[in-house]
């Protein structure tokens, strides 16, 4: 995690360095070229002044014509006192041909910005000039570079995020598969020992104990199967959610303090069907119920409230526990986050992955108040409603 954050800040730091250096250096170059063009524009103004003079010598005229001829980059317009265009150079010929007002519009812009040099004080001739294409390109270059740096940073950030997510996925899958593999051998062994034990038991109470032990073995088999499904695409099937929720509540109720009250409320008053993988979906409900139990000091109430809203089934798991601080709500689904001393911070992270990645639903903290309790909400598509809508469309 530290390395990931360090890499992000390193990228940001280098991006800022590139931007600062680029903008500073480009502005310096642009300023230098600007000064050169101003100096060249003054020389051109002097050349046009010579051309406009009646007593200019041959050498002066030759110098002036050569200076004007050598101007290949600075767009200029020579006007008289009435702003009539006498001559122009380095403007786009195709624009001039296609738009008869093109030069007048360009002259108006230069006049508005007062970019001119007085050629003749008596006749009030002016030389208007604008930045060359090279100077305009250099001035705009930082903006292009800023865009490229931003694009580089965005792509790098996405790449780092993807790499980190891929690494997390590999860890998840590896840990899950190895856990399922490691559980397999002792579970098989325990199942065999329980069968042997049953044959030697006579008392009814002893056989009841063996049956309960067998239920726990079956639960371990279920847990192993859950872990084995992480990393592979689970098979989804149409299931009525209400019995599944009630079974999970009944299982947790048997293992919770008697002072904890459990309740399942079906506000829809009808069967609610969704495409789910039973083992993984039950895992999520079990995680939420365990968290609710951990949040209460062996006293309180846990309610699963089920409702229907448009095309979705809403499942709220509500507890009357200690609640979650507002600053921590955004972190509860992050891997490694836990308020329990021996917690690994995996349960809710796995739950989010199961609901959102595998079942295309949503899971989030609907509300939480410290000292009063927390409500987690799951939303998942109601396939009965979707099927009904499809039938209507047909």
């Amino acid at each position: 995690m530290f390395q990931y954050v360090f890499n992000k800040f390193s990228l940001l730091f280098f991006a800022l360095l590139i931007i600062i250096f680029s903008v500073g250096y480009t502005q310096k170059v642009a300023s230098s070229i600007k000064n050169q063009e101003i100096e060249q524009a003054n020389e051109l103004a002097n050349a046009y002044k010579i051309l406009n003079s009646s007593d200019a010598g041959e050498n002066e005229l030759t110098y002036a014509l050569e200076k004007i001829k050598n101007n290949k980059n600075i767009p200029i317009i020579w006007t008289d006192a009435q702003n009539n265009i006498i001559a122009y150079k380095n403007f786009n010929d195709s624009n001039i041909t296609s738009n008869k007002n093109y030069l007048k519009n360009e002259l108006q812009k230069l006049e508005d910005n007062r970019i001119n040099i007085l050629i003749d004080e008596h006749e009030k001739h002016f030389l208007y000039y604008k930045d060359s294409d090279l100077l305009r390109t250099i001035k705009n270059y930082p903006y292009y570079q800023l865009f490229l740096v931003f694009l580089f940073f965005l792509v790098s950030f996405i790449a780092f995020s993807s790499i980190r997510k891929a690494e997390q996925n590999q860890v998840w899958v590896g840990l899950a598969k190895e856990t399922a593999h490691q559980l397999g051998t002792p579970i098989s062994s325990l199942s065999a020992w329980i069968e042997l034990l049953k044959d030697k038991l006579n008392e009814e109470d002893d056989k009841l104990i063996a049956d309960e032990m067998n239920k726990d073995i079956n639960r371990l088999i279920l847990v192993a199967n859950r872990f084995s499904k992480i990393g592979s695409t689970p098979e989804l099937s149409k299931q009525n959610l209400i019995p599944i929720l009630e079974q999970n509540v009944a299982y947790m109720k048997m293992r919770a303090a008697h002072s904890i009250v459990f309740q399942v409320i079906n506000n829809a008053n009808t069967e609610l069907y969704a495409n789910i993988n039973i083992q993984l979906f039950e895992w999520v409900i079990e995680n939420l119920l365990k968290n609710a139990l951990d949040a209460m000091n062996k006293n309180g109430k846990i309610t699963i409230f089920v409702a229907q809203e448009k095309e979705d089934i809403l499942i709220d798991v509500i507890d009357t526990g200690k609640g979650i601080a507002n600053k921590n709500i955004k972190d509860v689904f992050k891997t490694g986050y836990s308020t329990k001393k021996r917690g690994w911070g995996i349960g809710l992270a796995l739950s989010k992955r199961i609901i959102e990645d595998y079942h295309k639903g949503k899971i989030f903290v609907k509300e939480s108040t410290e000292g009063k309790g927390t409500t987690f909400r799951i939303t998942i598509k109601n396939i009965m409603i979707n099927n009904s809508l499809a039938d209507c469309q047909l």
Side-chain angles (χ1 to χ4, degrees):
M1 182 66 182
F2 171 77
Q3 185 65 34
Y4 173 69
V5 174
F6 175 77
N7 287 335
K8 284 204 301 184
F9 278 105
S10 296
L11 278 174
L12 181 60
F13 175 73
F14 283 117
L16 288 173
L17 278 183
I18 292 170
I19 292 170
I20 292 170
F21 174 78
S22 175
V23 171
Y25 184 76
T26 305
Q27 291 300 319
K28 183 178 179 181
V29 172
S31 178
S32 176
I33 294 175
K34 178 73 174 176
N35 291 334
Q36 290 177 17
E37 291 192 356
I38 291 173
E39 184 178 342
Q40 189 176 349
N42 280 296
E43 291 176 356
L44 286 169
N46 187 51
Y48 280 107
K49 184 177 181 179
I50 292 171
L51 286 181
N52 200 45
S53 174
S54 58
D55 56 350
E58 185 178 344
N59 289 337
E60 287 180 311
L61 288 172
T62 301
Y63 164 80
L65 290 171
E66 191 68 24
K67 179 63 69 175
I68 294 168
K69 180 183 177 182
N70 289 336
N71 173 29
K72 306 289 186 182
N73 58 337
I74 301 178
I76 56 97
I77 298 177
W78 177 12
T79 67
D80 60 17
Q82 287 73 41
N83 250 13
N84 296 313
I85 298 174
I86 300 172
Y88 64 88
K89 192 174 183 183
N90 295 328
F91 283 90
N92 191 301
D93 291 334
S94 61
N95 289 337
I96 295 171
T97 304
S98 61
N99 184 0
K100 62 180 182 180
N101 293 320
Y102 173 72
L103 279 176
K104 290 181 180 179
N105 293 335
E106 289 295 310
L107 177 60
Q108 187 62 53
K109 292 177 187 176
L110 295 173
E111 188 177 10
D112 291 342
N113 293 319
R114 298 181 179 179
I115 305 176
N116 58 51
I117 301 172
L118 181 62
I119 294 176
D120 192 319
E121 293 182 1
H122 300 292
E123 297 184 13
K124 299 295 182 184
H125 284 203
F126 291 92
L127 181 73
Y128 291 88
Y129 66 96
K130 63 184 292 187
D131 294 339
S132 66
D133 290 340
L134 174 62
L135 182 56
R136 288 197 301 274
T137 301
I138 290 175
K139 283 182 175 180
N140 292 329
Y141 180 71
Y143 300 105
Y144 302 141
Q145 200 162 31
L146 283 174
F147 172 75
L148 290 174
V149 169
F150 170 76
L151 190 63
F152 164 76
F153 183 73
L154 180 64
V155 170
S156 300
F157 178 79
I158 293 172
F160 273 118
S161 299
S162 300
I163 291 170
R164 180 171 176 262
K165 188 174 182 180
E167 289 175 347
Q168 284 183 338
N169 288 341
Q170 289 176 351
V171 171
W172 277 117
V173 173
L175 178 63
K177 299 289 186 185
E178 183 62 20
T179 302
H181 176 71
Q182 293 293 336
L183 284 172
T185 303
I187 288 173
S188 300
S189 178
L190 284 170
S191 298
W193 282 112
I194 287 174
E195 291 303 318
L196 272 173
L197 191 60
K198 281 182 179 180
D199 294 337
K200 296 186 178 182
L201 293 175
N202 297 316
E203 297 294 332
E204 196 65 33
D205 288 344
D206 292 338
K207 288 183 179 180
L208 183 61
I209 292 171
D211 288 339
E212 288 300 317
M213 290 174 65
N214 199 52
K215 287 180 182 178
D216 285 330
I217 290 293
N218 290 332
R219 192 71 184 180
L220 282 173
I221 294 171
L222 176 62
V223 171
N225 287 335
R226 288 171 177 174
F227 276 108
S228 68
K229 293 181 184 298
I230 298 297
S232 56
T233 303
E235 293 182 7
L236 307 181
S237 60
K238 175 184 172 183
Q239 299 292 336
N240 183 4
L241 297 185
I242 303 303
I244 294 172
L245 295 171
E246 289 174 343
Q247 289 166 17
N248 273 264
V249 167
Y251 176 81
M252 295 303 295
K253 187 176 182 179
M254 288 287 292
R255 287 150 181 81
H258 294 297
S259 54
I260 302 290
V261 177
F262 287 84
Q263 188 178 21
V264 178
I265 300 174
N266 180 9
N267 191 57
N269 293 319
T270 185
E271 294 180 335
L272 297 171
Y273 287 87
N275 279 325
I276 63 168
N277 179 280
I278 294 179
Q279 292 177 333
L280 293 180
F281 186 79
E282 285 183 335
W283 198 357
V284 173
I285 301 302
E286 186 178 309
N287 280 331
L288 293 178
L289 291 174
K290 283 181 177 178
N291 277 345
L293 286 171
D294 289 335
M296 295 185 289
N297 188 21
K298 296 184 179 180
N299 188 32
K301 184 177 181 180
I302 298 175
T303 303
I304 294 185
F305 184 85
V306 188
Q308 187 174 290
E309 185 179 88
K310 295 182 180 178
E311 299 180 21
D312 291 327
I313 299 170
L314 310 181
I315 304 169
D316 289 345
V317 180
I318 310 163
D319 67 63
T320 56
K322 59 186 178 183
I324 305 170
N326 287 333
K327 64 179 182 180
N328 295 329
I329 288 177
K330 66 180 184 300
D331 297 323
V332 295
F333 291 103
K334 290 182 179 178
T335 306
Y337 176 82
S338 178
T339 57
K340 293 176 279 189
K341 291 182 179 178
R342 295 184 179 180
W344 284 19
I346 292 177
L348 287 177
L350 265 175
S351 298
K352 186 176 180 68
R353 181 186 178 96
I354 290 168
I355 293 297
E356 297 188 357
D357 291 355
Y358 295 155
H359 293 86
K360 308 305 176 187
K362 292 181 181 178
I363 182 171
F364 55 93
V365 178
K366 182 189 174 188
E367 58 182 342
S368 186
T369 305
E370 289 188 87
K372 291 186 177 181
T374 300
T375 300
F376 281 91
R377 169 165 286 184
I378 297 172
T379 65
I380 194 167
K381 289 296 178 185
N382 185 342
I383 61 172
M384 296 302 290
I385 287 184
N386 290 336
N387 290 340
S388 298
L389 288 173
D391 292 340
C392 291
Q393 289 171 354
L394 288 172

